[in-house]
Amino acid sequence: MTSEQFQTHVKEQIALLNEGKPLEAFDRYFASDGIMFANGLVFATGAKACREKQEPYIASARSIDGRILDLVISPEKSVCAFRNRTSFTTHEGKTFRIDGVCWQRWQDDKIIEEHYFEGEEMHKMIHRGILKSPQNFV
């Protein structure tokens, strides 16, 4: 994957997330053998398990207002990081806002490793510079 292809794929993923289409972004860009972490712990391994864990939350949404901020791309290491401030409204009318930082490592046009940080862990990672130099977290 060239630097230009990598950047294009990341930006296409972000566009889908901003359009409120997280499952479409996942299906298009997450590797079948990818792994997800949440605050440093394994969340799920493999696309099937990762999707199954996320799907109930997304299915409960009547609407999703994607809001991805502070995207930074390091093409030389095939990594990126961004802030996710997406909100979603449930079928019952309750609105929730996500507040986290996502770091991804890509390989062969797919996300092979994703780390999601929220709460205190997110603030620690921001302080350490994840949204300025994501390549330092490889």
Side-chain angles (χ1 to χ4, degrees), residues 69 82-86 97-102 116-119 122 126 131:
L69 309 169
F82 54 86
R83 182 92 180 252
N84 188 347
R85 299 278 306 183
T86 296
R97 178 171 302 278
I98 296 168
D99 188 12
V101 167
C102 187
Y116 185 76
F117 303 97
E118 61 186 352
M122 173 190 69
I126 291 171
L131 293 174

Side-chain angles (χ1 to χ4, degrees), residues 25-35 45-48 50 105-113:
F26 178 87
D27 290 341
R28 185 176 295 175
Y29 294 110
F30 200 80
S32 62
D33 60 344
I35 185 168
T45 302
K48 185 176 187 279
C50 292
R105 182 169 57 91
W106 291 60
Q107 181 180 330
D108 300 326
D109 299 331
K110 301 285 184 183
I111 301 160
I112 192 73
E113 180 180 355

Side-chain angles (χ1 to χ4, degrees), residues 122-130:
M122 173 190 69
H123 293 292
K124 286 179 188 176
M125 297 306 285
I126 291 171
H127 180 73
R128 288 181 52 204
I130 196 167

Side-chain angles (χ1 to χ4, degrees), residues 126-138:
I126 291 171
H127 180 73
R128 288 181 52 204
I130 196 167
L131 293 174
K132 293 182 180 169
S133 302
Q135 69 276 8
N136 294 336
F137 294 85
V138 175

